[in-house]
Structures are given as C-alpha cells and as structure tokens.
Amino acid sequence: MTEIIAPRSGTAFPLLRGETLRVIDPEGGQVSDMLAFTRGDVREVVSNGRTFDYEETIRLTTGNRLWSNRSNPMLEIVEDNVGTHDFLLTPCSEATFRHFYKDKPVHRGCFGNLAEALAPYGIAEDDIPVAFNLFMHVPVDDAGRVKVLPPRTAPGDFIRLRALDDLIIGLTACSAYDSCGGTFKPIHYEIEREPLTRLEPQMSRIL
C-alpha cells in the first residue's frame, strides 16, 4: 500500500527488521528527510559520522549501510535508481528559514515536522540528529564548500532500504526552497514485507 506524505509535512512509523522501506519521488525534484531510531531504545539513532567512517564514503547508494551512534548497522540500501543523497546537512527549521530565506514566510520545516511526528514515540527535539536527506543534491567542491542544488530525480524515482533492526522511522516531504528547486511536492512510501513462508512449517507443527 502506498502512503502519501503531503508537501511540507512529515510522518513517523515503525519499520521492523527484515522489512524494506521504499521511498518514491512521484513527481520528481523533491527531497525527503529520513531519520531512524532503534525501537527498543530510541537513544540509539542513525549517525552520519559513524556511517561515513564505516562505509568510507559520503556518497551512499546501493550496498551501503546506515549505522547508529552505537556502531550498529540500522538500514541497508538495497536498491537506488537515483544515487544522489545528502548526509551532511541538518533538517531545515524555523532558524533555517530566518537565516537563508529572509524574504520568505517562516516555516517550521522538516525539523518541526519530524519533532511533531516523533513525539508519540518518546523522541524529543534535542534527540533529532542530522537526517539522511533522500534525493538531496549537495555537491562538495575542492575547497570543501557545499552548495544545495535542485534534486536530480525524475518522476517515479525511488530508493529501497532494508531494516536491520526494529526501528522507528521519521520521514518528510522537505520544506526548504533550495533543497527542492523552489517547489514543494509530495513524497510516497511503501513498506514491503517478506512472505511468511518460512513460518508455515512451524505453524503446521503447532497445529
């Protein structure tokens, strides 16, 4: 079943070990900020620093894993037809809008949307780390300077990530002008569950 995240909003949900999260950019040109927390202890959270260290790259795509602040693998990228994502920049917030978009209305951004969506799981604002910004295009030049450019996604592009533990996921349709090329569009996602065929022999023995 396809779930829809409306433009400039966010959601949170459990993703169990072995399930695969498919995040889709249905119209193209839209970023989605993603967070992951361990369901059994939400103080364990996805870490960009640990991920860069263990994966030995800042360009994460198919075959790479996202690691926690406790050095445990949380998610594995199993399919990615975009190949351009960001794990350097923090979720946009009211402060972001005041700093970069002084001529635009202030919006609570992905940070505010994530904080509201994650609160029922006992996750506070100060617990929100750098997000894995799906489809976000942030090139780094030879001098180390970063620039936020419009996403390279075409309509229907997607990434699939398999959970390596029971997780709580936060996911947005990003609210920042530069990140999304000045427009705001929805994000779709699906949770793919493996067939229960491996459980059938055990169930028949019980019966």
Side-chain angles (χ1 to χ4, degrees):
M1 177 179 176
T2 301
E3 303 288 347
I4 299 173
I5 304 176
R8 308 186 94 182
S9 71
T11 189
F13 50 87
L15 184 71
L16 303 183
R17 182 175 182 174
E19 294 180 339
T20 298
L21 173 65
R22 178 185 177 109
V23 183
I24 306 146
D25 184 357
E27 299 180 25
Q30 177 63 43
V31 165
S32 176
D33 289 21
M34 189 192 75
L35 295 176
F37 299 80
T38 299
R39 193 177 185 187
D41 184 352
V42 295
R43 292 173 298 178
E44 183 170 13
V45 60
V46 70
S47 166
N48 62 338
R50 298 289 182 191
T51 299
F52 294 153
D53 193 2
Y54 298 139
E55 296 299 304
E56 300 182 59
T57 182
I58 64 172
R59 296 177 179 174
L60 302 163
T61 186
T62 304
N64 290 124
R65 292 179 289 178
L66 307 185
W67 294 74
S68 79
N69 58 323
R70 296 177 181 170
S71 297
N72 294 313
M74 303 182 83
L75 292 151
E76 180 183 6
I77 303 173
V78 295
E79 190 175 4
D80 177 13
N81 69 352
V82 179
T84 302
H85 314 281
D86 167 67
F87 210 0
L88 295 171
L89 303 185
T90 189
C92 61
S93 65
E94 290 185 9
T96 305
F97 281 82
R98 293 191 181 98
H99 183 87
F100 288 108
Y101 309 120
K102 296 178 181 178
D103 61 335
K104 306 286 188 184
V106 173
H107 191 276
R108 68 179 183 176
C110 288
F111 185 88
N113 288 331
L114 287 165
E116 180 180 68
L118 291 165
Y121 296 97
I123 298 166
E125 288 188 0
D126 287 343
D127 300 323
I128 294 176
V130 172
F132 185 41
N133 301 306
L134 305 175
F135 316 134
M136 191 172 180
H137 185 199
V138 184
V140 182
D141 69 17
D142 291 341
R145 302 227 4 132
V146 298
K147 190 172 184 179
V148 178
L149 299 178
R152 294 173 166 178
T153 46
D157 279 347
F158 65 89
I159 183 172
R160 295 173 65 240
L161 305 103
R162 180 181 295 121
L164 304 177
D165 202 345
D166 291 346
L167 305 174
I168 300 298
I169 298 293
L171 200 62
T172 73
C174 185
S175 305
Y177 292 92
D178 289 347
S179 301
C180 304
T183 63
F184 307 108
K185 303 171 185 176
I187 284 289
H188 293 179
Y189 71 92
E190 301 168 355
I191 297 176
E192 303 170 357
R193 297 175 172 87
E194 293 184 1
L196 298 178
T197 53
R198 286 179 294 179
L199 296 179
E200 290 175 358
Q202 181 179 358
M203 292 175 64
S204 57
R205 285 198 299 271
I206 294 173
L207 294 173

